[in-house]
Amino acid sequence: MSQTYCENEVDLGRPWTIYEAYQIIIIAQAEALVGLGAKEELKDIIFTIWANYLSQLGVAFCDDERIVPDVVEKFRVGRARELRRGSFDTPLNKKMKKTTILEKDSTKEKSLFDEILESEENTDDSFIKKFDSSDEGDSKNKSQKKFYRKRYEKAKLSPEWMNLEKTIAICFIGVLHTNPEILLHDIVRWIYESKIPFLSTSHLLPSNMVLSGGDQSLFKVGKFDTKFLLKEVNKLCTYLVLKSLPAPDIKELIMRFVKELYLPNEVMHISCNLADRIPYLSSAKTHYIRHDHQAMAYIILGLRLVFGIDDSTEYLLSEYSSKLQECLHPDTTRLFIWTDWKKLHIYKSSEVFDLYKELTCDV
């Protein structure tokens, strides 16, 4: 009988915290970035930023460690794995049993929250979900659900609300200190090319960190682009009191963009001269300034000086260049023709993933 029991026994793993899981993901992301060309010391810098963040939260690397950060206690909402990390006897997070709706009484509300933190029962994915099993027809229940849903959404806006998006934001802050030439859209491109673990990460956890209850939602991500990443980076910089971030060489960015956009070298020289003569004054009140936008602004200004870009001059110059190209041997001299270049990028925008579409939309 005992042998049969052992064969059918399921390994429930061990208790773990969301910060332990996210640390594993951050390490994998740091290793991926080093593999993509970042400096080796990036790993140490990212760990320092991560340790500083956990210390600010008060959940690790500090004298008086807490179970949950202030944002959870302030808004009285949290994830199951955050509120109940489990024990070696019961490491899984199971859904809560049906709970009746509380009266709008702060004492009762507090007692239920403390019960979630201290009771032996496991919680669902978030504090709000304790109401999901209630009678939908009860208007009082609906108003309570709406009330706690609003709290939950506010809590998610806090820099103390650790989630998957902040893992890549922490890594990018580290990248700025080792390789400032790596830009926001580089990170996003590598993510969608599956070169940095982000869209799918739960497989990175060791086998003894078993997912249960609402744990899977900890590793889900919605729409993610450069604007979202920038928002998370600035939020973390404010929270960690990082007043200034290293900036890339604007001329190197100009040369890179001109090359990647297949523009003539003359545009590169003119744009670099413009960068020397006309300082870029940013009005953005953020920690990270979009230097890629600055570089594109100089390039666009250089293009206007060379080709006009007024829906007339560039086409007239293209006509002259096409006629002149017919008189030249194509193997010796190849002229830049604006209309041909435009056709190339129209094709790329419809058939190929084009990073510069987003860069130029706000310039």
Side-chain angles (χ1 to χ4, degrees), residues 178-333:
T178 60
N179 302 80
E181 71 278 3
I182 295 178
L183 305 173
L184 288 168
H185 70 263
D186 291 321
I187 300 294
V188 173
R189 171 167 56 89
W190 288 334
I191 284 174
Y192 284 105
E193 290 176 348
S194 299
K195 294 180 179 179
I196 300 177
F198 181 74
L199 300 177
S200 176
T201 54
S202 58
H203 66 280
L204 298 172
L205 305 182
S207 58
N208 60 356
M209 293 177 66
V210 179
L211 301 182
S212 60
D215 289 340
Q216 193 65 44
S217 64
L218 296 172
F219 311 103
K220 291 181 179 179
V221 62
K223 180 182 178 181
F224 191 79
D225 54 20
T226 56
K227 291 182 179 179
F228 191 93
L229 178 55
L230 177 63
K231 183 178 179 180
E232 291 295 328
V233 168
N234 285 321
K235 192 187 300 182
L236 284 175
C237 287
T238 301
Y239 183 68
L240 298 175
V241 198
L242 300 176
K243 296 183 178 180
S244 61
L245 295 172
D249 187 333
I250 195 69
K251 289 185 179 180
E252 290 186 3
L253 289 185
I254 290 173
M255 289 186 284
R256 170 189 167 180
F257 290 171
V258 167
K259 182 179 179 181
E260 293 180 355
L261 288 168
Y262 306 107
L263 290 170
N265 289 332
E266 289 77 9
V267 174
M268 179 186 68
H269 297 313
I270 292 173
S271 301
C272 288
N273 287 334
L274 289 171
D276 287 333
R277 294 172 179 270
I278 307 174
Y280 188 95
L281 301 177
S282 175
S283 59
K285 297 180 180 179
T286 58
H287 295 274
Y288 179 74
I289 299 174
R290 294 298 299 267
H291 301 286
D292 47 0
H293 283 186
Q294 295 181 15
M296 286 303 302
Y298 286 122
I299 292 172
I300 291 173
L301 183 56
L303 287 171
R304 288 186 64 87
L305 292 175
V306 176
F307 298 103
I309 317 298
D310 54 6
D311 287 333
S312 175
T313 306
E314 65 269 29
Y315 293 103
L316 184 61
L317 291 175
S318 295
E319 184 180 348
Y320 293 155
S321 298
S322 298
K323 292 180 179 179
L324 184 58
Q325 183 67 64
E326 294 176 359
C327 302
L328 301 173
H329 196 286
D331 295 335
T332 57
T333 305

